[in-house]
Amino acid sequence: MNDPDDPGGATKHGVTIHTMRRLGLDLTGDGRVDVDDVGALSREQAIDIFVEHYFVAPGISRLPNALQASVFDIYVNAGGNAAKILQRLLRQMGFGIAVDGAIGPQTVSAAQNAARPDPVALRDAYGVARRNYYFALADARPASRKYARTRAGDKGGWIRWAEEFLSPRYHLTDAAFQARVAKWG
C-alpha cells in the first residue's frame, strides 16, 4: 500500500484516490475517502468506475468503435483533452463543431460521418493527433519530456501508448523520433 502521508499517489487497479474522492467513494464507511478506501476497492468496482465514469459518461461509448479504445485510453489520464484532440481533428477534416472537450451529439455525428469511408483511417488520424498532442506538451513543458522520451533517449510511454493505437506504418522510426526530439537537447 502507498504511504498514508502521501495519499496523492494512492492507486489500486488504476483508480486513484483523487477519483475516489471526486466520486465520494467512502468504501470503509468512516466518513472520509482516504488510502484505506483505495485499499478496499475491488477489481470489479474499479472496472465499473472506468466503464461508467471514463467510457459511458463522457460519451466515448457513442463514438465509432474504431476510435473508442484510443479515446478512452487518453481520457483516463487527460480528461476532456481526449475529446478536444478529436474535435480539432474533425474540424481539420471540415466538420463545423465546437472544440469544447465534451463529446456531445455534434461530435458523435461528425465522428460517425468521418469514420464512414474508412474507420481505420480515422483511428490512425486520431492516433497521430494524439501523439502530436503529447509532443506539444513535452515541447512546452520540459518536465514532461520524461513521459515522451526515456532516459536512454528512446520513445517514452506517452509516444509508445499513442502508437499502440496506430497502424504500424504510422509509427515513427527511431530516426524520425530522434529528429523530432533533437531540439530538446
Side-chain angles (χ1 to χ4, degrees), residues 17 66 121:
I17 194 168

Side-chain angles (χ1 to χ4, degrees), residues 15-165:
V15 176
T16 67
I17 194 168
H18 300 294
T19 296
M20 294 185 66
R21 285 182 176 152
R22 181 174 50 84
L23 299 175
L25 295 177
D26 177 13
L27 300 179
T28 60
D30 63 2
R32 62 184 191 275
V33 179
D34 58 20
V35 71
D36 293 332
D37 295 294
V38 175
L41 186 70
S42 72
R43 178 172 161 69
E44 293 74 27
Q45 289 168 314
I47 290 168
D48 289 345
I49 288 169
F50 279 112
V51 169
E52 181 56 34
H53 297 281
Y54 292 91
F55 187 70
V56 175
I60 295 168
S61 62
R62 298 183 327 215
L63 293 173
N65 288 342
L67 280 176
Q68 289 179 1
S70 186
V71 177
F72 169 75
D73 185 68
I74 188 172
Y75 188 88
V76 169
N77 79 353
N81 285 315
K84 288 179 181 179
I85 294 165
L86 175 61
Q87 291 165 333
R88 286 186 195 104
L89 173 64
L90 293 169
R91 284 185 63 84
Q92 290 170 353
M93 296 172 77
F95 295 96
I97 62 169
V99 177
D100 59 7
I103 300 172
Q106 291 179 350
T107 300
V108 170
S109 177
Q112 289 169 342
N113 288 330
R116 255 189 212 107
D118 186 352
V120 173
L122 178 60
R123 181 206 65 202
D124 286 340
Y126 183 79
V128 169
R130 176 183 173 176
R131 183 176 62 204
N132 290 340
Y133 166 80
Y134 289 138
F135 277 130
L137 284 177
D139 287 341
R141 295 189 326 222
S144 293
R145 292 177 184 166
K146 63 185 175 188
Y147 304 115
R149 180 179 63 186
T150 66
R151 289 179 191 211
D154 301 321
K155 292 177 189 176
W158 280 353
I159 305 307
R160 287 193 320 270
W161 262 334
E163 289 187 344
E164 293 223 1
F165 298 94

